[in-house]
């Protein structure tokens, strides 16, 4: 009740729907990420934030260095506003326009690294930019999924570069090609970093996940070290990036890794409630107004269908947070124009009251709102634009 009263008081002059950043929670989460990283620098995953003011805030803290972008167009924009001098585009690009803009921008060329996982990516850049194009900084992505037996793939479907031999062959090809400079290796272990090992109400699944993650991590330490050594045999690397919010401690213990990556841990969405070793505080919330009272124990909210990407499962739905004791209706969920919530707490709600909710994935809420209200305690300090509020949407 005290938490809800504080948030209501801080935002009383604004009509919902709106989203807020609880700055105390955000800063606490940032400090905890640094603690868990054990001295390794953390590259901030911008897709999980998508608010320039928050990226600037976290990059000003000791322990954070560089940005992991999700789009080349995004990296070009962040370079133009001097957000960082170290921008890694962590997903391969086929954006011909952005590649042409990169080739014409000396400042961005010096700051920006693009990920490749095949010679096809090199061929595409050459085809877009032509012979004699400026040198492009590239990072080789190593697939670190777990393949315990033939035909079984555990982890994201990312790079085809799985073994040390694969990595060395691609590294050698990159170094032979004019117009490219290999500066890094990226190895994201999504089956460890992105799956909570204590899913609520599913103890058997949790035990299976912990068994898988333990064996996957043990296999990965050896294979990643061999792959990195193979690449270093043909190129001088500036960085080896690994990990994510869910695996900072595990990845930090790998001597072949020079930096970590994290972003969701700053925000604390619901998908990160299911980890044993850490628990981010909810730092970004959104408020919806009560617009109907159809019956006892039910209140209907305006809008709210901010469903996260990924598997079409209930854990991708937003979650009622305050007042405590509300939940979504399983046959209606969060809707385009209305979201019913049920529970005894609904009986205390009047038309116009706010219900506070949490979203499932960290950065995607910023695609729904043009601004976040920044709250500290019971005071609204300022309002900052999201990427969308600054006129940008990078997919």
């Amino acid at each position: 009740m005290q938490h809800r009263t504080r948030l209501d008081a801080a935002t009383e002059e604004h009509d919902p729907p709106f989203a807020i950043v609880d700055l105390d929670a955000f800063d606490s989460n940032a400090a905890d990420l640094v603690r868990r990283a054990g001295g390794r620098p953390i590259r901030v995953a911008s897709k999980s934030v998508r608010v320039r003011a928050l990226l600037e805030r976290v990059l000003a803290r000791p322990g954070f260095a560089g940005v992991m972008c999700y789009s080349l167009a995004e990296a070009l924009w962040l370079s133009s506003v001097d957000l960082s001098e170290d921008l890694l585009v962590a997903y391969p690009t086929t954006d011909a326009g952005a590649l042409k803009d990169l080739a014409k921008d000396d400042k961005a060329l010096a700051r920006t690294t693009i990920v490749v996982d095949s010679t096809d990516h090199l061929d595409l850049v050459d085809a877009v930019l032509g012979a004699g194009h400026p040198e492009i900084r590239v990072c080789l992505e190593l697939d670190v999924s777990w393949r315990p037996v033939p035909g079984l793939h555990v982890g994201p479907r990312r790079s085809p570069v799985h073994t040390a031999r694969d990595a060395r062959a691609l590294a050698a090809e990159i170094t032979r090609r004019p117009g490219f400079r290999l500066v890094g290796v990226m190895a994201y272990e999504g089956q460890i970093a992105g799956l909570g090992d204590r899913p609520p109400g599913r103890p058997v699944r949790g035990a299976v996940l912990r068994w898988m993650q333990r064996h996957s991590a043990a296999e990965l330490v050896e294979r990643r070290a061999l792959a990195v050594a193979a690449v270093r045999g043909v190129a001088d690397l500036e960085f080896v990036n690994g990990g994510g919010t869910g695996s900072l401690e595990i990845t930090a213990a790998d001597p072949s890794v020079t930096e970590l990556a994290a972003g969701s841990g700053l925000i604390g969405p619901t998908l990160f409630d299911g980890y044993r070793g850490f628990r981010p505080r909810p730092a970004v919330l959104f408020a919806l107004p009560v617009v109907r009272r159809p019956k006892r124990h039910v209140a209907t909210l305006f809008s709210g269908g901010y469903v996260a990407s990924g598997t079409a499962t209930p854990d991708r739905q937003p979650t009622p947070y305050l007042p405590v004791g509300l939940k979504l209706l399983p046959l209606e969920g969060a809707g385009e124009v209305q979201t019913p919530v049920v529970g005894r707490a609904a009986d205390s709600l009047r038309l116009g009251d706010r219900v506070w909710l949490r979203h499932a994935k960290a950065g995607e809420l910023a695609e729904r709102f043009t601004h976040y209200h920044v709250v500290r305690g019971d005071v609204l300090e300022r309002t900052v634009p999201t990427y969308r509020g600054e006129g940008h949407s990078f997919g």
Side-chain angles (χ1 to χ4, degrees), residues 111-134:
R111 295 174 167 181
T112 307
T113 303
I114 65 172
V115 158
V116 301
D117 62 32
S118 69
T119 56
D120 289 344
H121 289 137
L122 307 179
D123 293 342
L124 186 146
V125 173
D126 283 340
V128 168
L129 300 182
H133 63 73

Side-chain angles (χ1 to χ4, degrees), residues 139-359:
C139 170
L140 183 156
E141 180 168 8
L142 177 70
D143 171 62
V144 291
S145 62
W146 187 41
R147 303 180 186 179
V149 296
L152 178 60
H153 180 110
V154 181
R157 301 284 179 170
R158 295 176 67 107
S159 169
V161 181
H162 188 73
T163 66
R165 177 179 294 180
D166 296 337
R168 183 180 179 87
L170 181 55
E173 179 61 24
I174 294 169
T175 58
R176 281 196 296 267
R177 298 277 286 261
F180 299 96
R181 180 156 65 97
L182 179 58
V183 298
V185 169
M186 185 177 75
Y188 170 62
E189 54 269 31
Q191 71 276 15
I192 303 172
L195 292 176
D197 60 358
R198 190 182 60 185
R202 306 179 71 180
V204 175
R205 174 178 169 83
V208 171
L209 282 172
R210 291 190 291 275
W211 179 89
M212 178 274 291
Q213 290 172 344
R214 185 169 61 253
H215 286 79
S216 176
E219 183 271 342
L220 174 57
V221 168
E222 180 179 355
R223 179 162 55 88
R224 182 161 46 195
L226 291 172
V228 170
V231 174
R232 288 193 184 277
V234 297
D236 293 326
L237 297 179
E238 297 176 12
F239 64 87
V240 176
N241 180 279
T245 290
S247 63
L248 288 185
E249 296 92 344
I250 293 172
T251 313
D254 186 336
S256 70
V257 174
T258 67
E259 64 173 38
L260 309 175
S264 295
L266 295 167
I267 304 301
T270 58
L271 284 177
F272 282 80
D273 289 349
Y275 287 82
R276 291 188 305 165
F278 69 98
R279 182 72 177 267
R281 292 171 59 182
V284 174
L285 307 170
F286 65 98
L288 302 179
V290 176
V291 292
R292 302 179 194 266
R293 287 301 317 276
K295 59 181 295 186
R296 188 166 173 258
H297 299 343
V298 180
T300 303
L301 316 179
F302 174 71
S303 186
Y306 313 144
V307 179
S309 61
T311 57
T313 48
D315 62 357
R316 306 290 158 150
Q317 296 251 19
T319 301
Y321 182 52
L322 298 171
V324 174
L326 298 174
K327 61 182 181 180
L328 301 182
L329 283 168
L331 295 182
E332 190 161 352
E336 179 184 10
V337 292
Q338 71 169 39
T339 298
V341 291
V342 299
R344 291 185 180 278
D347 293 337
S348 66
L349 296 172
R350 301 167 298 175
L351 296 185
D353 282 354
R354 295 159 185 179
V355 172
W356 295 88
L357 298 95
R358 298 172 61 200
H359 56 307

Side-chain angles (χ1 to χ4, degrees), residues 42-65:
I42 301 172
R43 186 182 291 272
V44 185
S46 62
K47 75 176 182 64
S48 300
V49 182
R50 306 191 202 203
V51 178
R52 183 153 58 109
L54 295 180
L55 292 172
E56 291 170 345
R57 184 178 186 86
V58 74
L59 286 170
R61 298 180 66 101
F64 292 88

